Amino acid sequence: MNINKLVQDVLSEAALELLDTLAAHTIVASPQQRSSLTLMPVEADNWNPTMMLMREIFEAEILVSGETEWLGFRILQAYGVRDGQLAYQFTPVFAQALSA
């Protein structure tokens, strides 16, 4: 199963680009604990568009279904601002997908 295709189906192109950036930043910043809170700097001019895209990613739900089983999960567990940086945390299910 390709998790990337499922995510592409629910997010806009801009949100996908941000999600790729968040995932890459998390892999570099917290390689052993990908579901921990991660901080990332954001340029002052980009706060509003970034937060709108974060909301889109936060609200997205991925549904994986088969004939007799299904799994629904979200990408982000939490997001906000901490110490003047973007703070975000992937759900454990999505963090595990990053490891695959």
Side-chain angles (χ1 to χ4, degrees):
M1 175 183 332
N2 188 345
I3 192 80
N4 293 336
K5 176 67 175 133
L6 296 171
V7 172
Q8 289 173 356
D9 289 344
V10 298
L11 293 178
S12 67
E13 188 174 324
L16 280 171
E17 287 181 27
L18 178 58
L19 180 58
D20 287 344
T21 301
L22 297 174
H25 185 76
T26 297
I27 289 169
V28 171
S30 305
Q32 301 304 319
Q33 296 184 348
R34 294 184 179 162
S35 63
S36 64
L37 186 67
T38 305
L39 301 177
M40 186 175 85
V42 175
E43 295 175 1
D45 294 346
N46 291 329
W47 272 108
N48 287 339
T50 299
M51 294 312 280
M52 289 174 47
L53 293 172
M54 290 297 289
R55 183 173 184 90
E56 179 182 342
I57 296 168
F58 181 76
E59 292 178 347
E61 185 172 355
I62 310 302
L63 181 62
V64 180
S65 62
E67 291 184 26
T68 60
E69 300 175 343
W70 62 271
L71 171 67
F73 67 91
R74 295 195 179 270
I75 298 168
L76 288 176
Q77 185 165 310
Y79 73 100
V81 178
R82 182 174 175 189
D83 298 328
Q85 297 186 62
L86 176 63
Y88 62 95
Q89 183 176 15
F90 289 119
T91 61
V93 172
F94 190 78
Q96 185 176 7
L98 289 178
S99 301

